[in-house]
Structure formats: C-alpha cells, structure tokens
Amino acid sequence: MTHGEIVKVAGPLVVAKALTNPQMYELVRVGTAKLFGEIIELRGEMASIQVYEETSGVGPGEPVVQTGSLLTVELGPGLITSIYDGIQRPLDAIRAQYGDFIPRGVALPALPRDRRWHFVPSVKVGDAVVEGDIIGSVQETRAVLHQIMVPRGLAGQVVSISEHDLTVEESVAVLRTDSGEEKAVTMIQRWPVRNGRPYTRRMAPDAPLVTGQRVIDTLFPVAKGGTACVPGPFGSGKTVIQHQLAKWANADIIVYVGCGERGNEMTDVLQEFPQLKDPKTGEVLMNRTVLIANTSNMPVAAREASVFTGITIAEYFRDMGYSVALMADSTSRWAEAMREISGRLEEMPGEEGYPAYLASRVAAFYERAGRSMSLGSQPREGSLSVIGAVSPPGGDMSEPVVQATLRAVKVFWALDSRLAYARHFPAIDWLQSYSLYSNLLERFYEKELGERWSRDILEVRALLQKEAELQELVRLVGVDALSVADRLVLESAKSIREDFLQQGAFTEGDSYTSLRKQLKMLDAIMLWSHLAGKAASSGIPLDAILTMPIKVEIARSKAIPETNIAAFDTLEKSIERSFEALSEVDTTAREEYHE
Amino acid sequence: MNRDYRTVREIVGPLVLLDGAQDIKYGELVELRTISGMRHGQVLEVSGGTVLVQVFEGSSGMDLGQTVTRFLGHGLQFGVSRDIVGRVFNGLGAPIDGVAPILPEKVLDINGDPMNPYARDYPDEFIETGISAIDGLNTLVRGQKLPIFSGSGLPHAEIAAQIARQARVLSGTDEFAVVFGAMGITFEEADYFISDFRKSGAINQSVLFMNLANDPVIERIATPRFALSAAEYLAFELGMHVLVILSDMTNYCEALREISAARKEVPGRRGYPGYLYTDLATIYERAGRIKGKKGSITQLPILTMPEDDKTHPIPDLTGYITEGQIFLSRSLHQAGIYPPIDVLPSLSRLKDKGIGMGKTREDHAGLLNELFAAYARGRDARELAIVLGESALTETDRTFVKFSDQFERRFVRQGRDEDRSIEQTLSIGWELLSMLPLQELKRVSPAMVEKYMPKQTA
C-alpha cells in the first residue's frame, strides 16, 4: 500500500502530498482514523480529497493510504432488502457491530460474506460465454431471481460449473479464455460508481411505468426507462409521492435513494415495506427493494456519492433484464453537496454558488436511465426509470437545480403549496405539469384499455383548462354571472378534482388504483358530465342537476374494491336512471309552468 | 500535551490566523490568553503550520503580539451525569448557577455521531399538548422535530411554554425532562421560560443553556450542540423522554453567517453559507427514538421569520429538514386569537401514524381532513366576499364562511392555561362540522357521522 501525507484540513476537504501516481476519483483512506475519501483534484504533487466522514481530529502530517481503485460498489446476491449508506456500507451490519450511532472509519463488506446462496447453473461445461452472458442464477428473495453474469472483460469456454450452495466469494465456474488461461468466476462483481454500465443499444420507451396514482397514470404518465422530476416546496408531499411510487410502481426492482433527507423517512420505509404486498404478485414489497440512506446529518461528501451508488446498483439489475425504478429524494441535496465541495475547492461559482458544471452533471445522471439491450450473446431487454425529487428554496421553480433538471427530464410533476394547504393530495398541479411520454404511450393504452382511455383523458384536460379560465372570471364577476353550460363545466371539473385526482396515500383501498379501475372511474364522471349537459339543454333547472344524490355515489366510487370492478356497471346504470328520473319529474314540472 | 504559541498573524472579525503550529487537528479546541482575559476558540482550518481559529467570544480587545494560543488536543466536550438535571449552564456548557461543578460520568463530543437510520424507531406515540390546533390538526408525536415559525411580536414563547407545561402521553408515567437552549434571546424572554418552568415545577426536571443577546455571538454555534448532547445522554442513556426547546434559531443562523462572511466564503442566498442546510440538519436530526431504547428526544425549535417571510432561507431550509411546522399568523394575533396558529400552512408530517384507533380516536383522521378542507374553502370564500361582496357568494359558500369564523373562534382560540383533552378537541370539531350541509362532507365516513356528529335538535 502506498501512502502520502496530509498538509491541509478544511471540513470535508483534505489536501495531501507525496501520493504515488494518484488518479482522479481514486479511493483513499485518510488519517489515522482511516476515513474514506476520494481524490477530486490533482495539482502538481498536491491532491485534493473529499472525505466521506467527519474530519474533526484529523491534522497535517497524518498518512493518506491509497487503495489504487476508484470508488466502486459490490454487486451480487445480498443487495435486495439491504440498507446502505452513500458509499454502500451496510447500515444494519454497522448497527449490529457498532451500536446506534455511526462511528467513523468503519469498513464492512457490502455483501454478506458468510451467507450461502443456492447457485443453479444455466450453461454447461464446454459452452462458450462472453461478457454479460448469464451463466446461472440464485433465488435471492421470493420476488427476485438474481442472474449471475460473466463480468466485464471476460470471455471463454466453461471448464467447470455445478449446482452448489456458495458464498459470494467462492468460485461458481471456471472459464478458459482464448489465451488458454483459466479464470474463476465468483458471484460478486465490482463497478466504479461514476461510470455507467455498458449496454449494446438503447431504445425509445414504449410502455408506461404504471404507478397506481391516478393523476400520474392518466394525465402525466412516465414510461419504463423514462425520467421524471417532482419539484415542490416543503410540505407539498414530494416524499409521499416518491414513497407511493416505490410501493406501487410495476417495476421488478426498486432502488430508493434517501439523499440528504430525514432519518425518520427511511425508518418509515424500513418499517412499512416489509408489511406491504405487491398488488400484482402478492409478494412483500421489501423483497424487491434496495435502500440507500444518506440522511441530512450524515457526511455531505457521501451524500454526493449516494445517487451514483444507487444508480449503479439499479443498472446492474437492469442488465439482468429487469425493469428497475430508481427514486432519488432529493436531488437538490445532492446538488448542494456538489456546491459545498466546489466551494471548498475554491472553484469559480456559477449561478447561486452552484458549480458551473451543475447542469451537465444533472443531465449525465438522468441520462443513465433508459430502455436498453444488455451485453452478451443473447441480449436481454431491461429498463431503468429515474424519478428525482427536487426541493427548490422557497418553492421557486426558477432556481438552478430545477431548471437544470427540467432540461434533462421528460416528465414534470409540479407540486403546488396551495393544493397542499387545501389538502388536495397528491398536490400535482394539473396546469403546470407535463409529460412528454403521453403520445409515445398512446398505442399501449389503446391495446390494453381500448380507445375510451385517450378520449376520456382528452376531455378531462379540456375541462380542467376551461375551469381555470372560468375561475378567473368568477373571481371578477361572481359565479352567478356564468352561463348554465359554464356552471356545468365547473361542476364536472370539481368532480374530476375531488373524486378522481385526489387520492389518499394513507387510505386503504385508495392508495393504489389499477388502470382498469381508473378508466371506469373516469367513465362514470364523464357520463354524468355528458348527461348533465344534455339535461340542461333540454331545460331542466341547474339546481336540480347540481343537487342530484347520485353524485355522492360517484364520489364514493374511489372505495369500490379492485376485485369488484363490475360495480361500476351498476353505477353507470344508476347514473343513467337518475337522469331519466330527473327528466320525468321535470317534464311535468315544465308543463305545469307553461300552463 | 498542551502547546502554546504566540504567533498570531491576522485577526479578522471573529477569526484568528496563526503560524508555525505543529501537529494541530481540525476541530481542536483552543484557549487564547489575551490582554483582556481568557477566550475560547476552535480550529476551522489547518494548512501545514498555518491555523485558522474561530474565537467564540469575538476578537474585540485582542492584539497580535501578546495573544498566547494553547491547543487542547480535543474538540468541544461536555461532561455529563444525572446531576445536570436542574442546572443552568452558559452557552459553552459551564455552570453559571453558582452551585458546585458537575462531576462527569461521561465526557461527550458535542457534535455527536449521526444516528444510524437503521437504528431509528418510527415516532408514533401521540403527545397530548392540550392545544386543539396542534392536537387536533397538527398532532405532535414523541421523537418528532416540530418548529414554531413565528415573527417578531408574536407569542411563540407563551405557546412553547404552554406545550412544555401541558405535554403528556396518554399511557404511562415515564420520566421526562426539558432541555432549553437559549441563543441570543433577551433576558426577559429567557426569564419568561424559567419562571414558567419554576411555576409548573418543571424546573427541577430541566437543563438550561443560556446564551443571551449580550453574550458572545459565536458561542451560539456551540449552544444547541451542548443542549442536544445533554438531551441525548438523558434520553438514550437514562431513558428519559426529553423535550428540547431551542430559541431562537434565527440568531443561530446569523452567527453562522457572520463566521462564513469573515472566512470570505462564497455566499448562498441572502449571504447565508451554502452549507446552512447541512449545518441545520446536524442539529434537527438529533431528534428521534431508537429501537430498543426507552427514551426519546422531541424538538421544538423556535424561529422568527424575518418580515414574516417563509421563503427566507432560515424557515425554508428548516421546513425541509423538520417534520412539519407550526405557523403563527399575525392577522389571527391581531384579531385577538390565542394561540394564533394558522392551521393551513402548519403541518405535522408524522401525525398519520400517531392518530386513530388506539392512539387518539378512530374518527380523528377523517375529521381532521374534513376540518382542513372546510376551513380552506371557507377562507377562500371569505376572500372572494371581500372582493365581490357577500351577496356574490352561493348559499353554501356563505355557510362555509360562517364555519371558518367559528372555527377560528371556538377551535383555534383557547386560554393560555386551558388544557383541552383530545376528546374535547374532537368534539368541538364535530360540533363545527354540524354547521355544514351533510352532502359536502366527503372525507368523513357515514358511520363516523352517525356515531360522533351531534344530533340536530329539531
């Protein structure tokens, strides 16, 4: 091990001299406390190091030990259900060994070394394999079949392979390379976090990531392999949305990165996910989840690394042929960590003190999402969707992190504090938000749900847009000045907002809605809206329409269970019947009036 | 191994730069013997033999030639034992009540280590504060950090003292303690708390850290950390339930800005340093509960929003870290409503798991949502009525306006010593809801209406 010597300590930034051939982003251990750090600048014989842990008590003259490798993550069985800090140290094992608070300089392997996995080969002795090929698998949890792939840069003929219970470090197979060398393959791979994992080609997304959240799935869908951001002021429900997606999105693997946020939120996930079941497979949600928790009070440099650690793990599962979704909460804290390090490096600041490379780093991060074919002789299709929360200061959407993010992502869910105050959740503002995937996904919806879906959504958008215009007018002249038709627009839009877009994340039965039920709910609201329009134009008084008791039943259609979708047919019939009843009563009323 | 140096080269604001020092560690504590007495400082940066020290008491009266600096070889520490309960300390943890010094059982680094997120236990034990606007709508739970967003001239001290006085958990009689950290507040305000604690007897169960308005500014940076080290010791070593009141966080942030400016760092918004978020997080995140441990730390920081502006960096960054906020409203205060809590922008993020059957009552969640929505609608309508006149409102909207007036008068408003049980709070809520047409109540289930809504007298 080669080492150098510390010359300067300023918070998380340490400068060392006399290192032997230091590389950019090389991992080093700093001081006698052996703190983890990464080289981020080289000037002559001086190297600047960002240290992932608190540097109190470290001083000039102490050694810096080089590891010779970049910051890497360990990939292999044992990732699922784990909780790691920003540089992939296992927090559960740290607690077991060191207690309730995290001491400094702790180094524990990310994947358990003593656990045995039942390896089942999928190739035979004599087969030729190349990098990225699957040679076998391990049932990691009941929900995840962990594929063991030939690591990067290795190819050859299988010399030996067999079914065995093995630890991650033991050899599962031996390959003979072209040069005649014999190489052992283990279940563990290492990958530098700042480099994306390779694939053979990228494709445009073609299927939605179904989230079970009505406002998202209908108005602002995100695609599998797509990118989305959720900016909003504090208290507007960013984290709840991220949690909802982590719970209900129809991805095979979820990677949740808590980046500089609250410790209790991670606890919430840790306590809740093992209880919740996937609505499709019935499997416990924790069995498909990897957690990265670098909370706001944990060291800032490790926070900067946490999103890369998370996305590298996500890419690894994508390469197995899974659809993976990564939630990063919050990317603003990541950007602030970059700003803090940049400030200590005394770099020339860009906007609001953020480094000039903020936008390119943000874009490069989101660009690691996508739908792609893996390496290997039989490429597999996988996808990686990335959903980032953004926490703009004061809810100001013009600040640099929001703006840099909006240039990189395709879906924008704008959270509005006014909606949040009125307890309209999810507080996604339907006028400001957008999704660039809507058109791309139309064919999928048509095939799965028929053309009603797109037609309903078109009408919903039009009604909400019209409502906003009318609200302006109401503010000036009062609601009585509106025409009957406009009053009905307001009423329909209100029904859409309250009975459809509002969704209770903590209400059982409402937390997740299947696409089919979403369509049925919309159909019912639209049916009422059409019939109401007709009724009004045939002369039925507005008050009679607005006070129809059937509206209460439409409002309660949220509570109709997924297993009883047929109840919506009954609802539609009773809507029709109640309009018929209305026109009968009223025909007589009108006649009396005319006589 | 203590080392003395007489090599101060520069003094800028609260910062001192000296040369030729050997074997200095980052964060080390420093004693400075000056011509005007002893001061304390901490190493902010060390580069070769050049050391930058921040002086807690400020640099006025110091000179270059005669200042002797001594490096103590450790960071800021606080010696704790059970005897700290009932004592008064200054902002740097030295006793100022004239009683004997503490014989420490344990010496803690005031910065603490970050709590392992895996070790946390989710806060879900309801704390009854006896204040309807909090218990009913923004429920506080054990282990939460819930700041009071106030403004100059608003009664935040009274509310915090009332909470400290009345707070209790419905089950159990566990030991409790109050830790109070005063940062740059006036003597009168601090005295208000102390005499209130004395009146209620809480003084024997409290630990006070006093950095008043005329005490050294830079010292304030350490004060909350002393308070929280004491709290962690009481909660996680002695198993007590600790309520930490920190007042005023705005003064703390200003002290931080002063140091940042003296170091000529690139400023973030409004001159506050770019690391303000991280720095505040190392304070607020020290609240919580730990799996398998009895005690808990609940934080009630108070901050005054400059110009009542909640987008100011201090309330803004605080709101992003804490688990909600209690918002005080100047217009309610001027309308004579105490406590002037504006429930709409107020929020308790942890309430959902702290309320309901077995915690408060089965109808709580539905009732709370209905009250929020109805009050929001009533306030909107009231604004509309100001522009267009009341006659422009529909009949229903007029009912909602009436509702929101009554809500402020009967639900939010209560006496300074009035201690309402959660049942009382909820039944006031139902009484108010009975003013509204039944078909407008979409958030409460019919069964709950049947059970709890007061029957209309025909």
Side-chain angles (χ1 to χ4, degrees):
Chain A
M1 287 268 174
T2 51
H3 58 81
E5 187 188 316
I6 297 175
V7 292
K8 175 182 171 180
V9 185
L13 184 81
V14 166
V15 179
K17 66 172 184 191
L19 294 169
T20 318
N21 296 325
Q23 310 168 44
M24 280 295 272
Y25 297 110
E26 182 180 344
L27 194 69
V28 293
R29 304 294 295 273
V30 176
T32 43
K34 290 186 172 237
L35 311 180
F36 282 89
E38 201 181 14
I39 297 176
I40 52 169
E41 197 176 80
L42 293 169
R43 264 175 218 258
E45 71 153 353
M46 299 292 178
S48 299
I49 299 163
Q50 67 171 349
V51 182
Y52 295 129
E53 300 174 82
E54 169 63 41
T55 51
S56 295
V58 176
E62 291 185 37
V64 172
V65 179
Q66 291 177 259
T67 65
S69 70
L70 304 181
L71 176 62
T72 57
V73 287
E74 289 186 355
L75 303 168
L79 287 171
I80 302 288
T81 73
S82 288
I83 174 165
Y84 294 114
D85 78 349
I87 52 173
Q88 213 203 6
R89 290 184 297 183
L91 290 171
D92 45 356
I94 287 178
R95 180 178 185 231
Q97 206 163 331
Y98 298 95
D100 298 325
F101 295 84
I102 306 171
R104 298 184 300 164
V106 172
L108 285 177
L111 299 179
R113 293 297 194 262
D114 49 353
R115 180 147 176 205
R116 291 184 171 274
W117 303 94
H118 187 71
F119 174 77
V120 182
S122 57
V123 294
K124 307 184 298 293
V125 172
D127 287 353
V129 292
V130 296
E131 62 176 347
D133 274 346
I134 291 173
I135 56 169
S137 60
V138 156
Q139 192 71 46
E140 187 173 355
T141 66
R142 283 175 52 149
V144 177
L145 185 69
H146 194 115
Q147 310 284 6
I148 307 299
M149 296 174 285
V150 178
R152 186 82 202 275
L154 198 61
Q157 213 174 20
V158 180
V159 178
S160 71
I161 189 165
S162 59
E163 190 171 336
H164 261 309
D165 285 344
L166 297 166
T167 67
V168 286
E169 285 178 314
E170 286 171 323
S171 147
V172 294
V174 177
L175 303 186
R176 183 178 297 120
T177 63
D178 289 346
S179 57
E181 249 181 296
E182 295 210 340
K183 292 231 163 145
V185 178
T186 62
M187 289 192 270
I188 192 171
Q189 296 190 21
R190 289 185 179 78
W191 194 266
V193 298
R194 292 180 197 278
N195 305 339
R197 285 175 59 90
Y199 42 79
T200 46
R201 70 191 161 88
R202 283 272 296 269
M203 290 98 64
D206 65 347
L209 183 73
V210 179
T211 64
Q213 309 306 301
R214 294 189 289 265
V215 57
I216 292 175
D217 287 346
T218 56
L219 296 179
F220 312 109
V222 59
K224 277 187 176 164
T227 49
C229 73
V230 206
F234 63 80
S236 56
K238 283 181 300 297
T239 301
V240 177
I241 288 181
Q242 293 273 36
H243 282 192
Q244 286 297 93
L245 296 191
K247 283 177 199 166
W248 307 124
N250 66 342
D252 301 317
I253 308 285
I254 300 288
V255 179
Y256 192 96
V257 185
C259 172
E261 290 281 316
R262 303 175 183 91
N264 280 333
E265 282 168 2
M266 295 314 293
T267 312
D268 192 19
V269 174
L270 277 171
Q271 297 196 344
E272 197 176 19
F273 277 34
Q275 320 277 329
L276 292 170
K277 293 219 162 82
D278 186 326
K280 279 227 185 70
T281 60
E283 278 303 326
V284 175
L285 287 175
M286 198 63 200
N287 283 346
R288 61 165 195 181
T289 309
V290 184
L291 298 173
I292 314 283
N294 210 92
T295 54
S296 55
N297 56 334
M298 286 160 76
V300 66
R303 188 198 299 168
E304 195 270 332
S306 65
V307 297
F308 295 110
T309 298
I311 203 161
T312 309
I313 293 172
E315 284 174 337
Y316 172 69
F317 283 104
R318 174 204 67 192
D319 291 345
M320 293 178 200
Y322 289 123
S323 75
V324 186
L326 176 126
M327 283 86 200
D329 184 18
S330 150
T331 58
S332 291
R333 306 302 161 221
W334 168 55
E336 281 164 14
M338 269 195 269
R339 171 168 73 182
E340 193 170 331
I341 306 290
S342 161
R344 299 209 194 248
L345 280 173
E346 291 167 10
E347 292 176 339
M348 184 70 88
E351 232 179 313
E352 290 197 20
Y354 285 103
Y357 47 77
L358 171 74
S360 55
R361 289 272 170 93
V362 169
F365 168 70
Y366 282 103
E367 197 54 25
R368 285 173 78 169
R371 186 165 79 100
S372 57
M373 300 303 283
S374 69
L375 298 183
S377 46
Q378 284 163 327
R380 305 162 293 276
E381 183 188 319
S383 68
L384 168 52
S385 322
V386 175
I387 294 123
V390 190
S391 320
D396 169 17
M397 298 288 183
S398 68
E399 65 95 43
V401 184
V402 176
Q403 288 305 312
T405 306
L406 285 182
R407 292 215 304 274
V409 301
K410 298 276 191 302
V411 180
F412 172 47
W413 298 319
L415 297 184
D416 185 28
S417 54
R418 273 178 314 125
L419 290 175
Y421 290 170
R423 294 325 189 244
H424 174 111
F425 285 117
I428 295 178
D429 181 337
W430 46 89
L431 297 173
Q432 267 195 69
S433 307
Y434 60 77
S435 163
L436 301 180
Y437 294 118
S438 293
N439 295 338
L440 212 59
L441 298 174
E442 225 157 60
R443 199 173 330 143
F444 172 92
Y445 291 125
E446 202 176 309
K447 211 175 98 209
E448 293 286 311
L449 299 157
E451 47 194 67
R452 276 287 288 267
W453 176 268
S454 302
R455 217 175 50 212
D456 276 355
I457 288 169
L458 218 59
E459 276 188 69
V460 166
R461 281 183 209 280
L463 277 170
L464 291 172
Q465 186 65 44
K466 182 86 180 161
E467 184 200 27
E469 289 163 20
L470 291 174
Q471 293 283 17
E472 295 276 300
L473 208 62
V474 169
R475 230 160 273 143
L476 291 175
V477 296
V479 74
D480 288 335
L482 295 185
S483 70
V484 171
D486 285 347
R487 290 285 296 273
L488 283 177
V489 167
L490 287 186
E491 194 60 26
S492 303
K494 183 175 164 220
S495 173
I496 292 168
R497 284 190 282 110
E498 293 181 358
D499 307 334
F500 185 77
L501 297 182
Q502 270 186 26
Q503 188 169 0
F506 304 104
T507 317
E508 208 172 326
D510 199 30
S511 186
Y512 169 87
T513 310
S514 67
L515 288 184
R516 197 150 295 280
K517 183 176 159 192
Q518 295 186 28
L519 176 63
K520 288 291 179 190
M521 288 174 74
L522 275 185
D523 279 351
I525 294 169
M526 286 305 142
L527 179 66
W528 185 89
S529 171
H530 281 249
L531 292 179
K534 254 189 227 158
S537 58
S538 72
I540 294 172
L542 188 63
D543 276 347
I545 300 174
L546 295 186
T547 54
M548 285 170 76
I550 188 73
K551 292 187 63 200
V552 178
E553 274 177 61
I554 297 176
R556 296 203 194 284
S557 73
K558 280 179 189 178
I560 293 176
E562 293 286 344
T563 47
N564 189 20
I565 297 289
F568 279 97
D569 298 335
T570 329
L571 176 63
E572 288 196 15
K573 287 218 181 69
S574 25
I575 295 173
E576 279 163 8
R577 257 202 311 277
S578 58
F579 272 101
E580 281 159 21
L582 198 64
S583 58
E584 273 160 31
V585 173
D586 250 80
T587 331
T588 39
R590 259 198 325 274
E591 278 159 9
E592 279 165 20
Y593 176 80
H594 282 295
E595 277 163 19
Chain B
M1 184 187 69
N2 295 333
R3 298 141 295 169
D4 291 4
Y5 296 94
R6 199 191 279 265
T7 51
V8 173
R9 171 158 59 105
E10 275 179 31
I11 302 177
V12 181
L15 303 184
V16 167
L17 193 73
L18 68 139
D19 286 324
Q22 293 274 308
D23 208 17
I24 305 303
K25 310 293 183 199
Y26 174 75
E28 203 173 329
L29 198 62
V30 184
E31 278 176 7
L32 301 104
R33 253 171 297 139
T34 72
I35 40 175
S36 50
M38 177 75 104
R39 304 185 190 208
H40 300 85
Q42 192 171 18
V43 174
L44 272 191
E45 192 175 306
V46 46
S47 178
T50 309
V51 183
L52 186 70
V53 175
Q54 89 183 13
V55 183
F56 291 120
E57 292 90 347
S59 57
S60 73
M62 283 175 67
D63 73 344
L64 293 181
Q66 297 175 68
T67 301
V68 179
T69 47
R70 165 177 288 188
F71 293 88
L72 300 182
H74 59 78
L76 275 174
Q77 291 173 330
F78 187 46
V80 290
S81 78
R82 191 171 254 282
D83 300 334
I84 59 172
V85 178
R87 301 291 304 269
V88 186
F89 300 89
N90 72 4
L92 283 177
I96 49 169
D97 49 7
V99 193
I102 303 287
L103 288 175
E105 248 168 51
K106 208 171 172 181
V107 177
L108 302 174
D109 178 347
I110 62 156
N111 289 312
D113 281 324
M115 199 187 283
N116 188 331
Y118 189 76
R120 280 181 187 272
D121 203 358
Y122 198 76
D124 58 359
E125 268 180 294
F126 167 62
I127 299 181
E128 192 178 74
T129 66
I131 297 175
S132 292
I134 296 175
D135 290 352
L137 299 181
N138 298 291
T139 319
L140 179 69
V141 295
R142 258 185 189 168
Q144 185 172 14
K145 38 194 181 290
L146 193 64
I148 298 178
F149 282 16
S150 181
S152 336
L154 295 179
H156 45 259
E158 273 120 304
I159 296 171
Q162 190 174 1
I163 294 173
R165 198 164 61 230
Q166 299 179 351
R168 66 191 162 261
V169 179
L170 292 186
S171 61
T173 48
D174 299 325
E175 238 188 319
F176 79 99
V178 177
V179 173
F180 180 67
M183 292 163 283
I185 58 175
T186 58
F187 168 77
E188 281 168 47
E189 196 168 342
D191 188 57
Y192 176 83
F193 277 102
I194 295 174
S195 55
D196 199 88
F197 292 161
R198 197 166 283 139
K199 226 169 31 197
S200 65
I203 193 82
N204 300 323
Q205 282 302 317
S206 56
V207 189
L208 311 176
F209 293 87
M210 305 304 251
N211 170 284
L212 299 184
N214 58 346
D215 285 331
V217 173
I218 308 304
E219 194 178 287
R220 272 164 221 169
I221 291 175
T223 308
R225 297 188 164 85
F226 276 102
L228 287 162
S229 299
E232 277 173 357
Y233 174 75
L234 297 178
F236 303 130
E237 308 257 333
L238 302 184
M240 295 173 153
H241 293 285
V242 185
L243 178 69
V244 181
I245 299 173
L246 299 172
S247 180
D248 178 327
M249 289 306 291
T250 305
N251 296 335
Y252 170 83
C253 295
E254 271 163 11
L256 207 62
R257 176 166 69 177
E258 195 175 324
I259 298 226
S260 172
R263 293 184 71 182
K264 301 193 173 58
E265 290 172 335
V266 179
R269 282 199 305 149
R270 302 225 186 173
Y272 291 96
Y275 49 80
L276 182 60
Y277 175 85
T278 306
D279 191 276
L280 286 174
T282 58
I283 294 176
Y284 296 140
E285 277 289 321
R286 287 172 84 173
R289 298 194 331 172
I290 291 180
K291 276 186 243 169
K293 295 249 164 108
K294 214 171 107 205
S296 66
I297 299 180
T298 309
Q299 269 191 38
L300 211 60
I302 296 169
L303 56 91
T304 45
M305 296 180 284
E307 292 176 70
D308 295 352
D309 173 13
K310 77 165 167 95
T311 67
H312 184 282
I314 299 170
D316 189 51
L317 295 178
T318 297
Y320 275 122
I321 305 165
T322 54
E323 283 134 353
Q325 64 277 336
I326 302 287
F327 228 97
L328 302 192
S329 146
R330 199 167 292 278
S331 59
L332 283 179
H333 180 60
Q334 274 155 358
I337 289 172
Y338 174 90
I341 295 174
D342 188 351
V343 298
L344 293 186
S346 297
L347 170 72
S348 163
R349 289 164 190 273
L350 302 182
K351 65 172 185 299
D352 296 298
K353 300 228 163 103
I355 62 175
M357 186 89 90
K359 306 255 165 102
T360 54
R361 216 167 69 180
E362 52 178 342
D363 56 321
H364 195 158
L367 176 71
L368 163 161
N369 284 322
E370 196 68 70
L371 286 172
F372 264 124
Y375 180 56
R377 184 165 167 191
R379 284 250 299 242
D380 275 352
R382 192 156 68 189
E383 272 170 38
L384 205 65
I386 292 168
V387 181
L388 297 169
E390 200 157 320
S391 58
L393 298 181
T394 62
E395 185 58 41
T396 329
D397 278 348
R398 271 198 289 270
T399 321
F400 273 94
V401 173
K402 238 179 264 157
F403 168 85
S404 63
D405 291 342
Q406 286 300 313
F407 177 81
E408 286 168 7
R409 256 171 248 159
R410 290 175 51 200
F411 191 90
V412 176
R413 172 193 240 162
Q414 66 186 81
R416 282 170 167 73
D417 289 311
E418 187 180 347
D419 190 356
R420 285 186 196 154
S421 73
I422 183 69
E423 274 78 20
Q424 282 171 313
T425 294
L426 295 177
S427 62
I428 297 172
W430 280 109
E431 267 170 47
L432 290 167
L433 280 191
S434 69
M435 296 170 64
L436 299 172
L438 206 54
Q439 74 266 22
E440 296 287 342
L441 306 182
K442 290 182 178 176
R443 290 168 172 84
V444 282
S445 72
M448 293 294 122
V449 173
E450 182 58 35
K451 191 162 167 193
Y452 293 107
M453 178 85 85
K455 301 286 175 289
Q456 301 282 351
T457 42

